[in-house]
Amino acid sequence: MREAARTPFLSCRGQESPPPPARAGEPGRAPSRLRQIWPLVGLILLAVVVRGGWIGLQIDDLSLDEDNYAHVAEVFVQTGTFAHGRGEKDYTRLAPTAHRPPLYPLMIAFFAGEGSRISVERIAVLNFLLAIGTIGLVYLFGREAVPEKPWFAHLAAFLTIFDPLLLDRSAHVMTEGPAAFLAAGFAYAAVRTCKSGRWWGWIFPGVVLGLAALCRPTFLPVLPLVAGVVFLLELRRQSWQTGLMAAVAVVLGGAVALGPWTWRNQQVFGKPLLTTTHGGHTLALANSPDYFEQVQKSGFSSPWEFDAFTHRVSQLPPLLATVRPDGPGYQSRDPLKELEMDRMLNEMAWNWIGEHPRDFLYLAFGRLAQFWKPMPGPLGDHSGWMEALVRYGTGGWYLGLYALMLLGLPLAWRQGWLPVHLAWWLPLVFVFSGVHFFYWVNMRMRTPLSPFLCVLAATGLLALVQAGWQAWARRRSAV
């Protein structure tokens, strides 16, 4: 049987032509409008129940504020200053900081209640809306990427609802949830712009990437990479002039989002910081003799409380005496000292890397394994039965997703409908993997890529179902 024509990689053409007629019930074929609506209604209700129920059950976790995002939002609401300082009663004494990325605290501040109060309930509402928005954007991406197979979008959204990392992070005051929302938003905006053929439309995906960088700085290198891809895309289908204008539009969109924060940092630090002053700490934490010794002794998955690193660094120049496990855990008093601390920690890390290249490579490849591993924690963890159930359930979920990708994606390619628009997720995969080759990592930092894993698994699952249906139909017709 002749294979279906495949879409070139650098192309925005999907499989837009209507599919050939098929017997009723064959998977992958477009159902009637009514049959499209009911599954969507079911997805929405399921998402509301699962995500809302989970956040409600885990609402106590939202009061922990592990990385002080709610605290920074509270200071901002009360003083108008983006500052940091737990334990300080008079927030007006705090100086501006760029220790944490600003977007998520600004989102929390927008949801502040009367009297500038940051309540757990309001953060729960914010996280719930971001979770539902992520699921919705995955569904919309699926509809745009493979319009002739409506069940593809339903499957991708269904898997996203139950993704363990997305579920867990929605009950924490952390940036992984909004980052996943913006990652899915970028993919959807890129597909829409790609199919529209308007070079100026690339401003919008650029804006989304800029906002994502203000949520998690790991997104920042994605911006120039996407600009390069867009240039090659438009060069292929139109001209180099159009490609150049489209690439500039991507960068311009990112600049629109990053501009206000960069200008503010120029005024505060005398330097146009695009993201944060936290990078030096995460680089030094991941490339230090203390971490290498811990890995040699107990393995990559063993819990590490950073005590040895904190103690050693605090014995160095007085400026670093206030370093804490979550970064410079001091009350922000002096922006110039904060900037200098970041510089010194960067220098410390790069010096260790230069002096211990083999140890660095050992840790770097271990970080990649930690980033992509299916199950949290070490294999020999003797925790309680509930913790073990969660851990092994999570591992089983991601092993299942990986299996669907490995088995199903080649089938989708041979069947001729592997979505070309999946390529818009690849810059995120390359950049996240590359950044965490150097910087501190654990499994939760993969969360922004979870929607992509769900989309890939949905592709594989639908391809396997279609192959099974076709095999059954051939056997039936042969009888």
Side-chain angles (χ1 to χ4, degrees):
M1 183 174 63
R2 186 176 60 87
E3 290 184 342
R6 300 189 180 101
T7 305
F9 180 74
L10 280 177
S11 170
C12 282
R13 290 189 301 108
Q15 293 76 26
E16 304 290 346
S17 56
R23 284 175 289 213
E26 182 175 349
R29 302 306 184 190
S32 67
R33 180 175 296 274
L34 184 61
R35 289 177 61 198
Q36 291 183 47
I37 291 174
W38 284 116
L40 180 57
V41 171
L43 273 176
I44 294 171
L45 292 176
L46 184 63
V48 169
V49 170
V50 172
R51 292 308 187 89
W54 176 261
I55 292 173
L57 288 171
Q58 304 293 323
I59 198 165
D60 288 345
D61 289 344
L62 291 174
S63 63
L64 299 178
D65 193 20
E66 298 102 318
D67 281 359
N68 297 312
Y69 286 107
H71 166 69
V72 172
E74 183 180 9
V75 174
F76 178 78
V77 170
Q78 293 188 15
T79 68
T81 301
F82 197 84
H84 178 264
R86 279 197 178 278
E88 174 59 65
K89 296 180 179 179
D90 183 6
Y91 288 160
T92 61
R93 298 178 58 191
L94 299 174
T97 180
H99 176 57
R100 292 296 181 195
L103 185 60
Y104 189 43
L106 290 176
M107 290 180 178
I108 296 172
F110 180 79
F111 277 75
E114 294 182 7
S116 305
R117 193 171 70 91
I118 305 295
S119 70
V120 169
E121 293 77 17
R122 289 173 180 266
I123 296 175
V125 171
L126 170 61
N127 283 10
F128 172 75
L129 293 175
L130 288 169
I132 297 301
T134 303
I135 296 163
L137 286 167
V138 169
Y139 175 82
L140 292 173
F141 172 83
R143 290 300 299 266
E144 290 291 332
V146 193
E148 77 282 3
K149 293 183 183 293
W151 285 109
F152 173 73
H154 291 100
L155 281 173
F158 178 83
L159 294 174
T160 305
I161 291 172
F162 292 97
D163 183 84
L165 282 176
L166 290 173
L167 264 175
D168 177 66
R169 294 293 98 192
S170 64
H172 291 266
V173 189
M174 303 282 275
T175 57
E176 288 86 7
F181 171 79
L182 290 166
F186 159 72
Y188 174 60
V191 175
R192 292 279 296 178
T193 304
C194 190
K195 294 173 75 173
S196 75
R198 303 183 183 95
W199 67 265
W200 50 265
W202 288 106
I203 290 177
F204 302 108
V207 168
V208 178
L209 284 177
L211 292 173
L214 294 177
C215 182
R216 289 191 74 83
T218 313
F219 281 91
L220 187 61
V222 179
L223 194 63
L225 184 57
V226 168
V229 171
V230 167
F231 171 77
L232 295 176
L233 171 69
E234 298 296 346
L235 174 67
R236 178 188 178 97
R237 68 177 183 177
Q238 295 195 54
S239 65
W240 72 266
Q241 293 95 333
T242 304
L244 182 61
M245 290 188 293
V248 168
V250 173
V251 176
L252 180 61
V256 167
L258 292 165
W261 177 248
T262 305
W263 179 85
R264 174 263 191 193
N265 289 338
Q266 176 67 51
Q267 306 307 306
V268 171
F269 296 95
K271 184 177 180 180
L273 295 174
L274 295 176
T275 54
T276 71
T277 57
H278 189 51
H281 182 265
T282 54
L283 184 66
L285 194 63
N287 300 280
S288 68
D290 315 290
Y291 181 51
F292 182 75
E293 182 180 345
Q294 167 72 15
V295 168
Q296 291 284 87
K297 184 187 302 181
S298 305
F300 282 100
S301 296
S302 61
W304 187 39
E305 299 301 330
F306 318 135
D307 291 340
F309 173 82
T310 300
H311 177 73
R312 182 177 60 83
V313 170
S314 66
Q315 306 303 309
L316 296 174
L319 182 62
L320 299 179
T322 52
V323 170
R324 294 294 180 267
D326 64 339
Y330 56 90
Q331 298 172 349
S332 55
R333 303 286 190 184
D334 190 331
L336 295 183
K337 286 184 178 179
E338 180 177 313
L339 195 64
E340 178 63 11
M341 183 181 290
D342 183 57
R343 187 197 66 77
M344 291 177 68
L345 287 168
N346 266 296
E347 183 178 298
M348 182 191 308
W350 286 114
N351 285 342
W352 186 86
I353 291 171
E355 293 168 3
H356 304 85
R358 292 179 62 182
D359 296 346
F360 161 73
L361 289 175
Y362 175 75
L363 293 179
F365 284 105
R367 282 191 288 271
L368 280 185
Q370 290 296 297
F371 186 73
W372 289 107
K373 69 178 183 179
M375 186 177 72
L379 286 173
D381 187 6
H382 300 292
S383 53
W385 69 269
M386 181 58 73
E387 291 83 358
L389 180 64
V390 171
R391 289 179 58 251
Y392 285 103
T394 300
W397 173 273
Y398 286 115
L399 284 175
L401 293 193
Y402 290 159
L404 286 173
M405 295 176 210
L406 291 174
L407 297 174
L409 291 177
L411 272 178
W413 172 258
R414 288 198 295 270
Q415 291 165 0
W417 67 273
L418 183 67
V420 66
H421 295 294
L422 292 179
W424 291 114
W425 291 92
L426 296 181
L428 278 68
V429 173
F430 293 147
V431 167
F432 271 65
S433 299
V435 166
H436 289 296
F437 192 78
F438 293 90
Y439 286 81
W440 179 255
V441 70
N442 52 38
M443 187 176 168
R444 69 172 172 82
M445 296 180 183
R446 194 181 74 219
T447 306
L449 301 180
S450 285
F452 178 48
L453 298 184
C454 293
V455 167
L456 286 179
T459 305
L461 179 58
L462 193 58
L464 288 167
V465 170
Q466 185 169 313
W469 177 270
Q470 291 170 348
W472 178 82
R474 284 195 299 270
R475 285 197 302 269
R476 186 181 178 185
S477 62
V479 174

